[in-house]
Amino acid sequence: MINKNELLETMHMIDREHLDIRTITMGISIFDCACSNAEISAQKIYDKICTKAKDLVKTGEAIERELGIPIINKRISVTPISLVAGASNAKSYVLFAKALDRAGKQVGVNFLGGFSALVHKGFTEADRILISSIPEALAQTDIVCSSVNVGNTKAGINMDAVKLMGEIIKGTADLTQSTNGFGCAKLVIFCNSVEDNPFMAGAFHGVGEPDCVINVGVSGPGVVKHALERVKGCDFGVVSETIKKTAFKVTRMGQLVALEASKRLGVPFGIVDLSLAPTPARGDSVAYILEEMGLERCGTHGTTAALALLNDAVKKGGVFASSYVGGLSGAFIPVSEDAGMISAVKCGALSLDKLEAMTCVCSVGLDMIVIPGDTSASTISAIIADEAAIGMINNKTTAVRIIPAPGKKVGDVVEFGGLLGTGPVMEVNSASSEEFISRGGRIPAPIHSLRN
């Protein structure tokens, strides 16, 4: 039974505290679109997306109106393209990216993910073609997102892939120079990627997923911050309980929207991803939550401990609210998308090294980081390797979404607009990693991966 006080509280969260559903994401399997003729295969992909997702946007908008819950994005994820396009005769997969872009625009979604490859243990020829196609594909499309998984806890880290992705990121930045390297904002490099992630740019529809599924990503950093304002000065046990209770309420709202969308679209409900995803809007910041715990600035000593508490409490609260929690689930720290993070970088409190330490205890990794345009490919690869190692050793998902902004130097600011926000250019270590990255091969999996 709906409690009047709970209803009023939720309305207040939406109106004053930036509570929203960040995304309804429809996952679509396109295995049945594989064909030896690339043009026919691309057309099949287009047709299937347009058929399955034709009502996705209008259904999301109807739920938004009827329930009064803001739904910021409607998105689609598809089977990693390298697994489907590999059956074709294509020597470049840009035509597949263009088909995805056309289909996404036809049904009206904000982003479409799945121009992806899984190479944690090695490459197929299709993987190599897809990866080499990424710069051109992201430069010639608007809403297509790409991801590459270069490692996991069971297989180790494919360092040949890590080296290659540093070069691909540089190439993508060069081809999208007119937009400050914006193509790189649509590219994520993973370790331990998950199959049901509804968030971009790293979403793809995994091989273990059904033909079509609805996944929902919730948000609410502002709600958590306001909840902590009411327990100012209390000990960390109270802080944790407060975050747990708030995460429970936010996740229940996400489950309600997910089930409603599933029913109306006639598509199975997959998961609720209960990640705290910030925006550039003031008050909708993970950094502000950490500062509410008593830190003068996000990035100072104690930040990693505060983030660990936040991430754990969010997960504990969320899993009681839904039996199907999945995706990444926790706290995101994308610099350009978080007003508090932007401020902390600008005043010198938050560095790239500190962000790396924070990724040991949060949901993903180095996200929406802008670095000088003249940063070498080997340095970018080394940053990816560090994040992949954190993910591999700790059996968690880590990722790198990094933008070497052409022509920009430390202290400059790059404007991306919308949810992608403003990126202050951050300093990277000037010492070379070239010889390390050039070794290639595979970093072996850790001993604790041997669990069978």
Side-chain angles (χ1 to χ4, degrees), residues 221-300:
V223 177
V224 175
K225 181 185 182 297
H226 280 82
L228 291 182
E229 288 174 358
R230 296 191 284 270
V231 295
K232 194 176 292 290
C234 296
D235 68 30
F236 285 115
V238 175
V239 170
S240 178
E241 285 298 310
T242 301
I243 296 170
K244 283 163 56 180
K245 291 174 182 176
T246 306
F248 178 90
K249 295 171 186 175
V250 171
T251 306
R252 289 300 268 186
M253 185 191 73
Q255 170 125 332
L256 169 65
V257 171
L259 291 173
E260 192 63 28
S262 171
K263 181 176 70 174
R264 296 188 187 194
L265 291 165
V267 172
F269 161 52
I271 58 93
V272 175
D273 185 318
L274 50 92
S275 297
L276 294 181
T279 72
R282 187 151 190 91
D284 199 24
S285 161
V286 169
Y288 291 159
I289 297 173
L290 306 179
E291 291 169 5
E292 186 61 38
M293 291 186 201
L295 303 172
E296 182 180 359
R297 280 284 190 176
C298 177
T300 191

Side-chain angles (χ1 to χ4, degrees), residues 158-167 376-383 385 432-443:
N158 180 351
M159 290 300 290
D160 294 322
V162 169
K163 180 178 187 297
L164 180 57
M165 291 316 300
E167 298 163 1
S376 68
S378 61
T379 295
I380 295 171
S381 294
I383 292 169
S432 174
S433 307
E434 180 73 40
E435 186 177 344
F436 173 76
I437 292 300
S438 296
R439 287 179 178 271
R442 184 151 52 97
I443 292 179

Side-chain angles (χ1 to χ4, degrees), residues 45-65:
I45 292 170
Y46 174 89
D47 292 341
K48 184 166 187 180
I49 291 171
C50 290
T51 300
K52 291 288 186 181
K54 67 181 188 300
D55 296 326
L56 174 62
V57 172
K58 71 177 183 182
T59 298
E61 290 172 346
I63 293 171
E64 189 174 8
R65 286 192 305 270

